[in-house]
Amino acid sequence: MTAALMMGAMAFTACDKDDPTPTPGEDDAQPALVSVEQILDGCMDIANEVGNAKIGDPLDLWNNGEQTKALYAVESWYSWHSREDYSNNILSIRNAFYGTRDGKIATNSLASLLKANNESLFQNIDDAIQKAYQAILNIPAPFRNNINAPQVTVAVTACNELEETLKSLKAYLQRTDAVNSDDVLQPILVTYVNDVVLPTYKELMTKNTALYEAAKVFAATPSDANFQQCCNAWLEARTPWETSEAFLFGPVDALGLDPNMDSWPLDQEAIVNILNSGDFDTMVWGDGDNDETIEAKQGVRGFHTMEFLIFKDGKARTVNGGTSTDAANLDYTAANAQSWGNYMVQVGKLLQQDATELYNAWTVSYESGKAYKDLFLSHDIESDDEE
């Protein structure tokens, strides 16, 4: 995939001293509000996705009489971890708003700024975050067995209301000069990057390294205990990913790392073909591949492929779990054991590589040798409003 174009400084031709056109320099820079708007757009996008896609799509399919499709539309149903994933998505919004990852409100944060200048809007947003988070957890578990429960509609509504309150915050910042200056917003951006984004991505890298190591241990010594260790490692690695989804912009989007790590639904038939053939090159795509080819390869790797390989019916698989060869209910058997373990290792390796690439893009080098954090903090980005 081609990296998204980044908006740099505007070019100006030479002019005489009477020409009002500014010369290159600080006057060319975009305001801090551009980066703050990117934060809010990311929060609004995930609120919408959780409510209308992750929860809403299965509900709509169910209500339209397509129960089987509804079940397969539920993300993370192999592990029965759907509600936790979706509620962690809401925490990613809270973290962006609070400027922390522990539920406290940072001094330099959008929450503190709003609380000091518009208490009622702060309370509306804070209440909407808590309401959406709790509404998701109120859905009976597992979600795949309770798609048409009344709590599901409540959760969809709560996520949509959260998106609307975030729109109100964006509009408030855009029209209120007292709160949208660089002096006011720049410290908020610094806290957001240093205390929310970078620690989340560092944890994602660390936890996916641990998942990769667990997969290697299982492949070398298959056992029920090692299957369980892989499941534990997957749950640990999954949390920083889900709490990062309010900032699915920049490298994670432009480099294709989001679908690399989190494509859903899976192509279970293709996964079975890989297990049978042992051809793991089919998971790796390159710049010359077309979109269809890339999407096909992304559908047989990432978190959910690992989830499929290590979980069944919400529990860790076992080495003597059964004999099913059906794609949807495939069992680990003596016949496929070696290929199964190798597949787990290959998926774990790619997850670790993607997580490392993402962290390095933010901290080391992304475009023209610059780390994305530096581009973001200098507001040298292309906002959603400009696309």
Side-chain angles (χ1 to χ4, degrees):
M1 292 184 178
T2 303
L5 295 175
M6 308 298 294
M7 175 170 279
M10 296 174 63
F12 295 96
T13 58
C15 58
D16 61 37
K17 65 180 181 179
D18 295 324
D19 192 327
T21 304
T23 55
E26 291 184 0
D27 288 343
D28 301 334
Q30 298 187 106
L33 181 60
V34 169
S35 291
V36 171
E37 287 173 334
Q38 182 66 86
I39 296 173
L40 293 175
D41 288 338
C43 291
M44 288 186 283
D45 287 346
I46 193 59
N48 179 282
E49 183 180 344
V50 172
N52 295 320
K54 293 187 177 185
I55 301 175
D57 282 352
L59 177 61
D60 289 342
L61 288 167
W62 187 279
N63 289 338
N64 289 332
E66 300 181 88
Q67 280 80 13
T68 299
K69 286 186 177 180
L71 290 172
Y72 281 104
V74 175
E75 188 177 5
S76 300
W77 66 261
Y78 306 113
S79 59
W80 290 5
H81 201 251
S82 307
R83 300 180 320 148
E84 290 74 18
D85 276 5
Y86 309 159
S87 59
N88 278 335
N89 289 161
I90 303 302
L91 290 185
S92 74
I93 298 173
R94 183 206 67 185
N95 294 351
F97 185 53
Y98 282 10
T100 67
R101 302 172 68 216
D102 61 5
K104 298 177 182 178
I105 297 177
T107 299
N108 292 317
S109 66
L110 288 170
S112 289
L113 177 66
L114 200 57
K115 193 171 185 179
N117 292 275
N118 192 329
E119 174 72 27
S120 62
L121 183 53
F122 162 79
Q123 200 60 59
N124 287 343
I125 295 172
D126 202 46
D127 289 347
I129 291 171
Q130 302 304 326
K131 182 179 178 182
Y133 176 78
Q134 192 57 56
I136 292 168
L137 292 179
N138 285 344
I139 298 172
F143 175 44
R144 73 183 304 272
N145 292 350
N146 295 280
I147 295 173
N148 65 334
Q151 294 91 339
V152 175
T153 301
V154 174
V156 171
T157 300
C159 290
N160 289 334
E161 290 175 350
L162 173 56
E163 182 186 8
E164 291 304 311
T165 63
L166 292 166
K167 289 180 181 178
S168 297
L169 172 55
K170 183 177 178 180
Y172 170 74
L173 291 175
Q174 289 172 332
R175 69 174 183 265
T176 310
D177 292 342
V179 297
N180 67 19
S181 70
D182 284 8
D183 287 344
V184 171
L185 297 180
Q186 190 64 24
I188 293 173
L189 293 177
V190 172
T191 295
Y192 169 78
V193 168
N194 290 338
D195 295 350
V196 178
V197 177
L198 297 187
T200 301
Y201 281 154
K202 184 174 183 180
E203 183 182 6
L204 181 70
M205 179 177 63
T206 301
K207 296 296 187 182
N208 273 284
T209 298
L211 176 58
Y212 176 36
E213 293 301 321
K216 289 194 291 185
V217 169
F218 177 85
T221 313
S223 69
D224 291 352
N226 285 337
F227 252 140
Q228 184 64 60
Q229 287 301 312
C230 287
C231 290
N232 295 343
W234 185 90
L235 292 171
E236 288 285 323
R238 187 75 178 151
T239 297
W241 174 257
E242 292 304 311
T243 56
S244 79
E245 291 209 42
F247 35 97
L248 289 180
F249 53 79
V252 69
D253 176 41
L255 300 178
L257 298 176
D258 176 12
N260 271 4
M261 300 182 75
D262 202 33
S263 282
W264 183 266
L266 297 180
D267 187 340
Q268 293 174 317
E269 295 288 348
I271 289 173
V272 173
N273 289 338
I274 290 174
L275 279 169
N276 291 336
S277 68
D279 182 8
F280 302 113
D281 290 338
T282 57
M283 296 187 291
V284 181
W285 57 270
D287 290 338
D289 291 332
N290 60 35
D291 289 347
E292 184 178 357
T293 299
I294 292 171
E295 289 175 6
K297 293 182 177 184
Q298 290 171 328
V300 292
R301 59 188 283 180
F303 276 117
H304 294 300
T305 297
M306 183 67 84
E307 181 191 11
F308 173 83
L309 293 170
I310 62 179
F311 285 97
K312 188 172 184 178
D313 297 330
K315 299 178 181 179
R317 287 183 179 273
T318 58
V319 293
N320 296 306
T323 58
S324 174
T325 58
D326 175 65
N329 297 290
L330 191 67
D331 286 316
Y332 175 94
T333 65
N336 63 29
Q338 183 174 357
S339 183
W340 197 293
N342 289 339
Y343 198 173
M344 288 169 56
V345 170
Q346 294 302 315
V347 174
K349 181 179 181 180
L350 289 172
L351 278 167
Q352 191 269 342
Q353 289 176 350
D354 287 336
T356 300
E357 182 179 4
L358 179 54
Y359 182 70
N360 287 342
W362 270 83
T363 59
V364 181
S365 179
Y366 172 61
E367 183 173 276
S368 301
K370 295 181 180 179
Y372 187 74
K373 69 179 178 65
D374 296 327
L375 296 170
F376 186 81
L377 290 174
S378 63
H379 331 134
D380 191 9
I381 64 172
E382 184 176 278
S383 68
D384 285 354
D385 290 341
E386 294 167 332
E387 293 176 353

